[in-house]
Each structure stands twice: as structure tokens, then as C-alpha cells.
Amino acid sequence: MLNQSAVLDQVFHALADPTRRTIVERLTRGPVSVSALAEPLSMSLPAVLQHLQVLEASGLVRSEKVGRVRTCRIEPETLKTVEDWVAERRAVWETRFDRLAAFLAEEEDQSK
Amino acid sequence: MLNQSAVLDQVFHALADPTRRTIVERLTRGPVSVSALAEPLSMSLPAVLQHLQVLEASGLVRSEKVGRVRTCRIEPETLKTVEDWVAERRAVWETRFDRLAAFLAEEEDQSK
DNA sequence: GTGATACTTAAGCATATGCTTAACCAATCA
DNA sequence: TGATTGGTTAAGCATATGCTTAAGTATCAC
């Protein structure tokens, strides 16, 4: 993996915007055209395009154009990158917590 | 939950910076003072303080000052917010995928 | 009290973000 | 062919970010 950190930068940044999360949520339910994506969003089409560019750059979304319609879909693998990072932090945290518990138990034991 | 979206905005934004992720990683291994956190980071102390403020505002980190030392620790519950959001997207995605598979299987069935 | 330590605050600055409006292009459709 | 639909590009602008340096303010150690 080439610079995992840069990928996380982009993915987290992409998800830090409510409009972009709305787009991701819509896309998890299936592929959509750009204008259909824009329809419920109260902003100009170019603004939506820019959000899509951020999402595509992050790898969360992929799109392809057929005729004059561009269809967007999510890339579930990239969402997994986030999941993995969080899970890894959690794992470290829990290990530390278990060790702390074990240490305290031992202390308790010695005080008897 | 009071404006879940605003929380996600802040948490994802907080995690979108490599310095802040480094800080979170350090804190998952246990509480640390501000200067100890800053030591491996190649930037001024005020810069680190600003990153910590972003992390605290997001709820990912909590800190308290005793004497002249401020000790920082992570708030694992907030990391879980991220985990939950991602897991929920994933669940929607998988449901959709299962339905697609079922649909295709049925199509296949009818063509016989 | 004097000095060092551990932050804190304030100000300033370059760059990035999130939008807008105004064209522009390329496939349909009538 | 000429209008419409679906998307794209470009330019501009207000605000937010990520840093810096300089100047505090509380401890704590002697």
C-alpha cells in the first residue's frame, strides 16, 4: 500500500462533510446519476460536482459516463479502510485496558 | 442524540489530519502530557495545542490539568461513533447486495 | 524570590474549502 | 436543424485551516 496515511487523509476529509456523507448514503443504496444525486441537495450542480470530485479522489466513489449521463457508485473497499483503521485503534485500546485490569488484579492480589 | 451529523463532521474532520491521527494513536496506548505528545511531532507547541483543541472539540480526546501539566486521554466512546456510522453504511450496502444476488438468482431460475 | 518548566494566548499569514454565477460542450429529441 | 437535457469548466469570493513567532501566565525547584 502506497502511503496509507494520505489515503486516510482523503477518506476522512471526504466524510467530514454532511453533503458528502449524504451522497455516500445515497450511493450505498445503489448507483445514481449526477443530476439525481443533486436533486435533493440544496446547492448548485457545480457544487455537487466538486463534492463528487472529492469523493472520487478519496476512492470512496467511482463513476463512469455513458452517453451524456454519468453514473456514480460507491467503492465499498475504501469504506473498509476506515473500518480497519478504527478497529485497529480499538484493538490497541482494548489490549491496553486488559493489561491495566490484569495489573490492578495483581496489585490487589499482592496487598492480601 | 443532539445533531448526530455535527458530531460526525467534527470527528471525521479531526481524523482527517495525519498529525491528529498520530496523537490519537499515541493516546490509545495511554494518557500523555501535552509536551510528551508534542515531542515526536515536528512543529511548535502552539500548533500541537491547536490540534488538541480540534480533537477535544470532536470529543475524541479529553484532558485535565493538574499543577502545570495537562494530561490527555482518548474517549473511546467517540471512536465508536465512527465505527457505528461505517458499520451502518456497510450493512445497507450488504443488504442491497444480497437483494441483487437474490434477484439475479430468480432471473436465472425463470430463464429455465 | 529567581529561574526553569509547562503550557497559553494573540496575531498574522499562506493555502485550502465550499460555494456561487456565467459560460460552454456534447448527446438527445422534436 | 435547433432546442433541451445532462454535465463541465472557469473565475471569483468569503471563510476556515494549519502553521508560525512573540509574549504571556501559572506552577515547581532551589
Side-chain angles (χ1 to χ4, degrees):
Chain A
M1 61 187 78
L2 238 161
N3 206 352
Q4 174 75 8
S5 183
V7 173
L8 287 170
D9 281 8
Q10 295 200 289
V11 174
F12 280 124
H13 171 239
L15 294 175
D17 182 280
T19 300
R20 288 194 291 261
R21 283 199 307 278
T22 300
I23 292 176
V24 168
E25 298 198 4
R26 177 67 193 79
L27 293 179
T28 50
R29 297 200 297 275
V32 194
S33 73
V34 172
S35 46
L37 266 180
E39 196 269 319
L41 306 172
S42 47
M43 66 180 65
S44 69
L45 203 67
V48 175
L49 254 285
Q50 283 167 33
H51 283 302
L52 278 173
Q53 278 161 18
V54 172
L55 286 166
E56 286 212 55
S58 78
L60 279 168
V61 167
R62 178 165 54 88
S63 76
E64 78 182 307
K65 199 168 179 174
V66 174
R68 58 184 171 175
V69 176
R70 176 173 296 279
T71 301
C72 309
R73 61 192 70 237
I74 58 154
E75 199 64 79
E77 273 307 298
T78 308
L79 251 193
K80 192 158 184 317
T81 306
V82 176
E83 207 168 15
D84 289 349
W85 188 86
V86 176
E88 172 64 17
R89 288 320 107 218
R90 204 168 183 53
V92 173
W93 170 262
E94 312 241 295
T95 301
R96 175 183 121 66
F97 224 73
D98 290 349
R99 278 208 299 257
L100 181 63
F103 173 76
L104 292 176
E106 202 175 320
E107 287 283 288
E108 172 68 15
D109 211 50
Q110 291 184 357
S111 72
K112 280 175 187 170
Chain B
M1 61 185 80
L2 239 160
N3 206 352
Q4 175 73 9
S5 183
V7 173
L8 287 169
D9 281 8
Q10 294 199 288
V11 174
F12 279 124
H13 168 65
L15 293 175
D17 182 279
T19 301
R20 287 195 290 264
R21 283 199 307 279
T22 301
I23 291 176
V24 168
E25 298 199 4
R26 178 66 193 79
L27 293 179
T28 51
R29 296 200 298 275
V32 193
S33 73
V34 172
S35 47
L37 266 181
E39 196 270 318
L41 305 172
S42 47
M43 67 181 64
S44 68
L45 202 66
V48 175
L49 253 286
Q50 284 167 32
H51 282 302
L52 277 173
Q53 279 161 17
V54 171
L55 286 166
E56 285 212 56
S58 77
L60 280 168
V61 167
R62 179 165 53 88
S63 76
E64 77 182 309
K65 198 166 179 176
V66 174
R68 58 185 169 173
V69 176
R70 175 173 296 279
T71 301
C72 309
R73 61 193 68 237
I74 58 154
E75 197 65 79
E77 272 308 297
T78 307
L79 250 192
K80 192 159 185 314
T81 306
V82 176
E83 206 168 16
D84 289 349
W85 187 86
V86 175
E88 171 64 17
R89 288 320 107 220
R90 203 167 182 57
V92 173
W93 170 263
E94 312 241 293
T95 302
R96 176 184 120 65
F97 225 73
D98 289 349
R99 278 209 299 258
L100 183 62
F103 173 76
L104 292 177
E106 202 174 320
E107 286 284 287
E108 172 67 16
D109 211 48
Q110 290 184 356
S111 73
K112 279 177 188 169

